[in-house]
Amino acid sequence: MNIFWQIVYLVLWAFYMLLIGRLLLEFVRMFARSWMPSGRSAIAVESVYTVTDPPVKALRRLIPMVRIGGFALDLSLIILFLVLSWLLLPLVASLAISAL
């Protein structure tokens, strides 16, 4: 059972790293609107969005965007990031360690 929790932790950690990458890509798209990835970077960007889109889109359906003046703030990516970092990763890490 220990190896199972270690694999779950590894998968969640990899997803966490991809969420950080997506957060960085969102900032790049926000500040450099004319930036278009090409070649290998386009493949990397597409893979990050392909992996992280399903949970982010599911949360977008549950959590409405917050309107602040003339723009809307999307909290789904931030909430997914916080849930993963504060709840899931520590919980699975403790399960992987306790199974030793």
Side-chain angles (χ1 to χ4, degrees):
M1 197 62 161
N2 181 24
I3 197 80
F4 171 75
W5 290 115
Q6 289 177 352
I7 291 171
V8 169
Y9 180 78
L10 181 66
V11 168
L12 285 176
W13 182 81
F15 185 72
Y16 183 73
M17 291 297 123
L18 288 173
L19 274 179
I20 291 174
R22 181 176 176 136
L23 189 63
L24 291 174
L25 287 172
E26 294 286 338
F27 277 119
V28 168
R29 284 184 41 206
M30 185 171 41
F31 291 118
R33 294 191 184 268
S34 63
W35 179 74
M36 293 293 292
S38 61
R40 291 183 182 166
S41 63
I43 295 170
V45 167
E46 184 62 32
S47 63
V48 167
Y49 276 100
T50 301
V51 171
T52 58
D53 260 350
V56 170
K57 285 183 179 180
L59 276 177
R60 281 183 182 153
R61 279 185 259 139
L62 296 174
I63 303 167
M65 296 182 92
V66 177
R67 297 277 177 196
I68 302 173
F71 70 97
L73 182 62
D74 182 19
L75 297 176
S76 61
L77 184 63
I78 297 167
I79 290 174
L80 182 62
F81 184 77
L82 292 176
V83 165
L84 194 64
S85 63
W86 287 350
L87 295 177
L88 290 180
L89 283 176
L91 177 68
V92 172
S94 67
L95 287 173
I97 291 171
S98 68
L100 290 174

